[in-house]
Amino acid sequence: MIEIRHLKTLIALRETGSLVEAAERLFLTQSALSHQLKELESRVECELFIRKSRPLRFTEAGKRLLLLADDVLARVSDAERDVKKLVHGEAGRLYMAIECHSCFNWLMPTIDVYRNQWPAIELDFSGGFTFEPLPALAQGDIDLVITSDPQVIKGIEYVPLFGYEMQIALANEHRLTAREYLQPQDLADQTLISYPVSRNRLDVFTQFLMPAGVEPAAVRTSELTLMMVQLVASGRGVCALPNWVAAEYVAQGLISVRSAGPQGIWPTLYAAVREEYLVLPYVQDFLALAKAHCLKNLQGVIAL
């Protein structure tokens, strides 16, 4: 009665929140997707989601089938992974580096799950804050880099993980919270708190301030996201954070956030991999696991 394609459709609907985006992800026309959903609802004899709801909301029956989808698709994925191991073998290495301080929050849990699924893969991890990880990737010293700053390097492919909004974090009582969104000039008299990396690796500079020719009054650095948030909350400055990082602190009432510009700035987070590594099953599985984990658990990110 219920097919795998139906379960994949329900998951896509939950993750995208709309029929249009779900259809795009599944490479279907909106008409074909609507027909498939009506077919499924006919089979189970009830509606699975509330039409014209924004964001899309599931009925109790729909929620139950989503639980089924999470369970069954995870089992299918496990079986496919086991078959790949049998065919291609389990041995290999995956040395990783990140150019994103905030990515520790989701990358480490992903690595923990991956380690259990591929125990024979030699894993290593380092932060790309004191060396240039992309050249190291090209040279073969590491095998995968998490970055939002792709560079054209021969032999390197960039696999999109998700899109996110870069937001400006402010103290709750900051005068700029009166603005609907911020313009670059708003930061001209502010202390900007950032991670201790070069400006050309920070979106707040490359995509917001530098194109407008604006320089903040001062720049202060911190390696810890929590310390940056505490400095902002105490009125010591402002900082730029991914929306999925800022959401946790906004929910705690520590800070407020505003978009950078009327449309906001939406970078993409990539996994950079050497071309020959992309065909390896254990690399493909890590990329799929990382993307699925982020889309399910990180608030405000978008599928690409």
Side-chain angles (χ1 to χ4, degrees):
M1 183 172 67
I2 299 173
E3 303 174 20
I4 294 294
R5 64 190 177 98
H6 295 142
L7 300 181
K8 290 182 177 180
T9 294
L10 293 176
I11 293 294
L13 275 175
R14 180 181 65 189
E15 292 181 350
T16 62
S18 78
L19 287 171
V20 174
E21 294 181 23
E24 290 179 353
R25 178 184 293 194
L26 296 169
F27 303 103
L28 296 173
T29 64
Q30 188 175 350
S31 175
L33 180 64
S34 296
H35 178 76
Q36 184 186 122
L37 288 168
K38 288 179 180 178
E39 176 194 12
L40 176 58
E41 289 178 328
S42 176
R43 293 187 184 190
V44 299
E45 299 181 345
C46 64
E47 292 189 347
L48 299 177
F49 64 97
I50 301 172
R51 263 67 176 179
K52 298 182 180 180
S53 58
R54 296 292 296 179
L56 186 145
R57 290 185 292 125
F58 288 88
T59 63
E60 290 303 313
K63 293 177 182 177
R64 178 60 184 87
L65 289 187
L66 279 171
L67 292 176
L68 174 68
D70 286 334
D71 181 42
V72 170
L73 294 180
R75 291 172 180 267
V76 170
S77 179
D78 287 343
E80 291 174 341
R81 182 182 303 109
D82 290 341
V83 170
K84 287 180 179 179
K85 289 178 182 178
L86 291 172
V87 174
H88 299 284
E90 300 183 19
R93 78 165 204 185
L94 189 57
Y95 292 175
M96 292 174 275
I98 62 174
E99 290 190 325
C100 165
H101 283 65
S102 305
C103 291
F104 280 108
N105 292 350
W106 64 261
L107 184 58
M108 300 316 292
T110 300
I111 290 175
D112 289 340
V113 173
Y114 180 79
R115 195 186 303 274
N116 291 329
Q117 295 175 346
W118 293 86
I121 300 300
E122 182 184 356
L123 289 174
D124 198 5
F125 174 82
S126 63
F129 311 133
T130 57
F131 73 104
E132 294 291 335
L134 289 176
L137 173 65
Q139 295 167 10
D141 297 328
I142 54 179
D143 308 308
L144 184 147
V145 176
I146 304 297
T147 181
S148 61
D149 183 28
Q151 302 173 24
V152 179
I153 300 177
K154 185 178 180 180
I156 301 300
E157 293 285 338
Y158 294 90
V159 180
L161 297 178
F162 58 82
Y164 63 94
E165 183 181 10
M166 183 205 77
Q167 296 179 321
I168 306 299
L170 309 164
N172 290 325
E173 65 279 5
H174 199 291
R175 61 178 175 79
L176 291 176
T177 57
R179 305 285 181 86
E180 182 180 354
Y181 56 85
L182 302 186
Q183 298 285 12
Q185 192 60 38
D186 292 325
L187 303 190
D189 61 351
Q190 300 294 312
T191 295
L192 179 62
I193 304 165
S194 71
Y195 296 113
V197 298
S198 63
R199 293 187 176 192
N200 61 12
R201 289 167 59 185
L202 294 170
D203 293 324
V204 67
F205 281 104
T206 60
Q207 298 194 47
F208 190 53
L209 296 176
M210 292 168 63
V214 173
E215 177 71 17
V219 176
R220 178 173 181 173
T221 62
S222 173
E223 292 189 358
L224 301 177
T225 301
L226 180 57
M227 180 59 69
M228 292 172 62
V229 171
Q230 290 176 339
L231 289 170
V232 169
S234 62
R236 308 284 185 86
V238 304
C239 73
L241 292 173
N243 55 351
W244 51 271
V245 175
E248 173 186 353
Y249 302 108
V250 171
Q252 296 174 19
L254 294 176
I255 57 173
S256 298
V257 294
R258 294 293 182 271
S259 294
Q263 305 302 321
I265 291 175
W266 289 84
T268 297
L269 195 69
Y270 298 91
V273 186
R274 289 190 302 281
E275 289 177 346
E276 65 270 20
Y277 254 60
L278 276 177
V279 301
L280 299 177
Y282 64 86
V283 175
Q284 293 177 351
D285 199 44
F286 178 83
L287 295 174
L289 180 64
K291 183 180 295 188
H293 175 86
C294 293
L295 292 176
K296 183 177 180 180
N297 295 285
L298 302 184
Q299 183 176 336
V301 305
I302 57 175
L304 299 172

